[in-house]
Amino acid sequence: MRYTDQLREAAGDQWNRVIHHKFTKDLAAGTIDHDCLKKYLIQDHRFLDSGVVLFASMIAKAKTLEDRIPGCQFLALLTGKENTYFERSFEALKVSQEERSSIPNAACTTEFCDFVLSVAATGSLAEMLAVIVACEWSYLSWGELVLEEHVRKDFYCYEWVDLHSGDYFTSVVEYLRSLLDKEVETMNDAEKKACQTRFLETVQLEEDFFDFAMKK
């Protein structure tokens, strides 16, 4: 069994709760409450910056140019197409810059951002990858699961699914998993345990974030 499969298995039922979360189902169906979606988008856009820092740090620690290139290409998508999706969605949902600025960070946003920035600053390459794999693989998993329920009506619903499903995003997750699987080949048990801890912490934060978005 691949090491990354072992990590997912260790997450157990919590992994399934994340990838089958009501937020993802309602988003794909286009029935999500707009206040919940606005709340999610405002907070998740703030997380984007921390995510970019972590991804850039992982790229810098990668061992070869071959290992870095796919990461750089995906980083360009995060800072381009994905960031633009947020801005277009705020405009369509009539979320003003003033409103975005006046709303404080949710506790889960602060916790997630602090966690990611700490791993970026002090974590090993494997620990960084463990966090990124948990984030991107869980999103790919729910993105693929909701495709049959995917209603192409409001772009701020269906484009978020598009960004987290399909051949390209699948290849990104496989690239990240492969890097982590390769990295653990030379790690001792304590280092592997540290990676598992990071992975499980990330899955918990993902669930907390979805739960927060759905609270009215």
Side-chain angles (χ1 to χ4, degrees), residues 28-188:
T31 59
I32 192 165
D33 181 271
H34 279 189
D35 287 338
C36 292
L37 182 58
K38 288 178 186 179
K39 184 166 59 167
Y40 170 85
L41 291 174
I42 289 169
Q43 299 295 328
D44 200 42
H45 191 235
R46 293 176 185 173
F47 174 76
L48 180 60
D49 183 56
S50 301
V52 167
V53 171
L54 177 61
F55 219 98
S57 300
M58 180 278 290
I59 292 167
K61 275 191 175 286
K63 304 296 175 60
T64 66
L65 178 61
E66 182 181 8
D67 288 345
R68 291 189 180 98
I69 287 174
C72 291
Q73 291 168 337
F74 184 62
L75 187 58
L77 184 146
L78 292 177
T79 55
K81 188 175 182 180
E82 184 163 317
N83 185 60
T84 302
Y85 158 83
F86 280 105
E87 297 296 345
R88 290 168 52 235
S89 296
F90 290 139
E91 182 178 357
L93 291 165
K94 296 181 170 53
V95 181
S96 68
Q97 184 62 53
E98 182 180 3
E99 183 179 358
R100 289 161 60 184
S101 301
S102 65
I103 295 174
N105 273 7
C108 60
T109 305
T110 298
E111 186 177 1
F112 213 159
C113 290
D114 288 349
F115 169 71
V116 163
L117 291 174
S118 174
V119 174
T122 65
S124 65
L125 173 59
E127 286 177 276
M128 293 180 192
L129 284 165
V131 173
I132 295 170
V133 166
C135 289
E136 306 301 348
W137 195 11
S138 64
Y139 264 63
L140 172 66
S141 297
W142 74 250
E144 292 289 327
L145 282 169
V146 300
L147 284 178
E148 290 186 2
E149 309 161 38
H150 200 188
V151 176
R152 302 192 72 81
K153 179 184 176 184
D154 299 315
F155 80 84
Y156 42 79
C157 291
Y158 70 75
E159 283 191 16
W160 197 234
V161 178
D162 290 346
L163 283 165
H164 297 102
S165 59
D167 292 344
Y168 174 66
F169 192 53
T170 298
S171 74
V172 170
V173 172
E174 178 56 33
Y175 150 74
L176 294 166
R177 289 184 61 196
S178 296
L179 282 186
L180 181 52
D181 288 334
K182 182 171 64 175
E183 191 66 17
V184 299
E185 292 174 0
T186 57
M187 287 166 46
N188 60 40

